[in-house]
Amino acid sequence: MNRFIKWMEEHFVPIAAKIGGQRHLVAIRDGFVALMPLVMAGSLAVLLNNVFFTPASLIAEWFNLKPETSGYLQFTTKYLQPLMGNIWWGTFAVLSLVLVFTVAYSLAKSYNVNPLSAAVVAVAGFLALTPQGVTITLADGKTTQGTWGNFGWQYFNFGALLTAIIVTLVITQIFIFLMKKNLTLKLPDNVPPAVGRAFAAIIPGLVAIIVGAFVPVLFSILNEAKILVETNLFDLITKFITDPFMHLSQNPFSAIIYVLMIQVLWFFGLHGGNMMGAITNAIYLPQVAANASGGHNVFTSVFFDSFVHLGGAGATLALVIAIFIASKRRDYREISKIGGAASLFQINEPIMFGLPVVLSPILIIPFMIVPVVLTLTAYIATVTGFIGYTNVVVPWVTPVGLSAFLSTSGDIKAALVAIINLAIAVVIYYPFIKLANRHESEKVS
C-alpha cells in the first residue's frame, strides 16, 4: 500500500494538479460559479411550479373546477404560473448565452487582458454564428419558417452549454492572442484609461467576431458541396459530441468512473469536486433541465449531491457518525465534533484534512467503496420507479434528505432513499473505524 501511494504521489498527483490548475478549465469552472444566482432562481421557479402551482391546476381538472370559482386557483393560473415561467425564461432558457460572458470574462482575466471587452466580444461572436430564421411552432401546432433575425431559444438554453463553451474558448483565445501581440489602436497618453482600453480592443474584437460570423457561411459552403449534412455548428456538435457524451453519462459504469475519479483526487488532497467541475457542469448539469422538461435521466449533478456525496465526497457525514458510534480515539472524536457540523451541510474539508482521510491507508478502502455502492443504490431506486428523477437544482449545501426531497420536486421516498444510503455508508465505514482503533492501540503499545 505504501509503495502504491508513493507511486501515485510521484506520477499521478503532479499531473492531476496541472490539469486542475489549467486556466481554461478554471475559467469554465469560475464561469459556472458566476451563474449560481441564475441557476438558483430558475430552480426555485421550477420547484414552486412543480410542487405547488401545477398540482393546483391538476386538482382543478380532476374536480372540474373553473378558475373563476376559486380565488387561489385563479391567482395561481393567471399570475403565479406565468411569473414562474418568466423567471425560467430569464434564467434557464438563456443560461448558455450568459455562460459565454462569464467564461470569457474569467479566461481573459487569467491572461491579464481586458475581461469586460473579451466578454462582450465573445457574446457578439457567439450570436454571429447562432442560426437565424429557425422553424417556429405556432399555437395551433403548425410550423412556419422564421425570418432572418429570429433566434431559437434552444441555442441559448442548457442543451447548448457544450457548444457555448467551445465557441467561447476559441473566440476569446483569438481575442487574447491578438491583444497580447499588441495588434491594437494606439491612443495618446492623455486619453482616459477606460477609453484607451475600449479602443485597444477594436481590432482584436473585430477579428474575433468575424471568425464567429464566418462559421455559418462555412457551413453553407459545406452544405452546398454536400460535405456536411448538418446546417450549423450547434447541430454538428450535438450529433458528434453532446449526444454521445450524454448517452455515455447515463451508463452506470460511466457514473461509477466519475465518482471514483472524484474520490481518487480527494484522497491525494486535491479538491475532486472542483477538478471534475467541468465534467459536472457540461454533462451532468444539463440533465437536470432536461428532466424538468420531461426527461428521464438518472444521473444528474444534483443526483450525486443528493444521494452520493452525503456530507461531501465519500459520504463523510457517515464517517463522522461511524466514529461517534465505534471509535474511542480521542483525536477522531474531537475532529468529528468540529467537522461534523460542516458535514451536515456537505462541507467535508475539516474531516478530509483533520482526521485525515487524505492519504490514509485504512480509510481509503471505504472512501472508495461507499460512493460506488450509494450510486448503484440510488440508480436502482430511480430506474425501478421507486423514486422520481432529479429535476430541480438545489444548493449543494442542502442537508441530507432535504436535498433529495427538493431535487425530485417533493418526493418523500427520495428523502427516504438518501437516509437509507447514509445508513449504508455508516455500516461500510464501521469496521474500518474499528480497524483504525486497533491500529492506533498497536502504535501506542
Side-chain angles (χ1 to χ4, degrees):
M1 177 62 73
N2 290 335
R3 185 179 299 176
F4 170 74
I5 292 175
K6 184 178 180 181
W7 185 89
M8 292 289 280
E9 285 178 325
E10 291 178 355
H11 298 88
F12 173 78
V13 173
I15 296 173
K18 287 182 180 179
I19 294 173
Q22 207 281 328
R23 70 172 78 225
H24 296 84
L25 294 179
V26 171
I28 295 171
R29 183 197 67 197
D30 292 347
F32 273 104
V33 169
L35 292 184
M36 278 303 105
L38 272 67
V39 173
M40 290 300 104
S43 298
L44 179 62
V46 172
L47 179 65
L48 292 175
N49 220 23
N50 288 345
V51 176
F52 297 106
F53 306 147
T54 300
S57 300
L58 292 175
I59 291 171
E61 287 182 18
W62 294 339
F63 291 97
N64 199 26
L65 297 176
K66 303 297 182 184
E68 56 269 18
T69 63
S70 169
Y72 171 73
L73 186 59
Q74 185 177 15
F75 186 73
T76 298
T77 56
K78 189 174 181 180
Y79 299 108
L80 294 182
Q81 284 183 316
L83 175 63
M84 295 305 107
N86 291 341
I87 294 174
W88 176 88
W89 180 257
T91 54
F92 284 170
V94 293
L95 203 69
S96 291
L97 180 61
V98 183
L99 182 69
V100 172
F101 186 95
T102 58
V103 171
Y105 188 98
S106 299
L107 182 59
K109 190 175 181 180
S110 72
Y111 280 98
N112 293 317
V113 170
N114 186 347
L116 186 58
S117 293
V120 171
V121 166
V123 170
F126 180 75
L127 289 173
L129 62 79
T130 302
Q132 302 178 54
V134 296
T135 301
I136 301 172
T137 302
L138 303 176
D140 58 4
K142 295 180 180 179
T143 59
T144 183
Q145 186 66 33
T147 58
W148 191 88
N150 291 123
F151 291 107
W153 65 272
Q154 69 267 30
Y155 301 123
F156 300 143
N157 67 359
F158 266 104
L161 280 176
L162 188 57
T163 304
I165 290 171
I166 294 172
V167 170
T168 303
L169 295 180
V170 172
I171 289 179
T172 307
Q173 199 63 53
I174 293 171
F175 177 84
I176 291 168
F177 174 79
L178 297 177
M179 289 289 286
K180 288 289 188 180
K181 291 296 183 180
N182 290 318
L183 295 176
T184 60
L185 295 177
K186 307 296 183 182
L187 296 179
D189 294 336
N190 59 349
V191 172
V195 176
R197 286 193 297 270
F199 270 82
I202 288 177
I203 295 177
L206 178 62
V207 173
I209 294 170
I210 289 174
V211 170
F214 180 70
V215 171
V217 177
L218 177 62
F219 269 85
S220 179
I221 295 171
L222 295 175
N223 285 155
E224 291 177 2
K226 300 189 183 305
I227 297 175
L228 276 182
V229 175
E230 291 72 31
T231 58
N232 59 73
L233 181 64
F234 291 82
D235 291 346
L236 184 70
I237 291 178
T238 297
K239 180 178 179 179
F240 291 103
I241 302 179
T242 304
D243 284 350
F245 268 107
M246 292 305 179
H247 286 105
L248 184 64
S249 72
Q250 295 307 302
N251 184 302
F253 180 75
S254 300
I256 289 171
I257 295 296
Y258 166 75
V259 295
L260 281 177
M261 280 302 301
I262 292 177
Q263 301 308 109
V264 170
L265 291 167
W266 260 121
F267 178 73
F268 288 96
L270 304 171
H271 198 299
N274 282 351
M275 296 185 68
M276 297 293 286
I279 293 176
T280 306
N281 293 323
I283 296 178
Y284 287 113
L285 183 59
Q287 309 288 31
V288 185
N291 286 353
S293 301
H296 297 88
N297 301 295
V298 176
F299 300 112
T300 68
S301 58
V302 74
F303 171 93
F304 296 108
D305 289 339
S306 299
F307 300 108
V308 181
H309 305 317
L310 308 179
T316 46
L317 178 58
L319 173 58
V320 170
I321 296 172
I323 286 172
F324 283 131
I325 294 173
S327 181
K328 296 179 180 178
R329 288 180 55 169
R330 185 175 179 182
D331 57 338
Y332 271 23
R333 294 183 71 87
E334 289 300 318
I335 291 167
S336 295
K337 289 177 183 177
I338 298 171
S343 293
L344 290 173
F345 298 96
Q346 313 288 70
I347 300 169
N348 68 344
E349 281 84 350
I351 299 299
M352 292 299 301
F353 297 106
L355 288 180
V357 177
V358 172
L359 295 177
S360 169
I362 295 176
L363 294 180
I364 183 178
I365 300 172
F367 189 69
M368 295 293 183
I369 293 174
V370 164
V372 174
V373 173
L374 303 193
T375 298
L376 291 175
T377 303
Y379 169 76
I380 293 170
T382 305
V383 296
T384 57
F386 181 72
I387 63 175
Y389 294 92
T390 49
N391 56 18
V392 177
V393 177
V394 297
W396 61 271
V397 293
T398 306
V400 175
L402 180 60
S403 174
F405 176 77
L406 295 176
S407 65
T408 53
S409 295
D411 187 346
I412 191 67
K413 290 183 293 184
L416 178 62
V417 169
I419 294 171
I420 291 173
N421 266 6
L422 181 63
I424 291 171
V426 172
V427 171
I428 295 173
Y429 271 117
Y430 181 87
F432 293 94
I433 294 301
K434 285 288 191 181
L435 181 63
N437 292 343
R438 189 179 306 169
H439 179 68
E440 181 66 15
S441 299
E442 292 174 355
K443 282 172 57 180
V444 173
S445 60

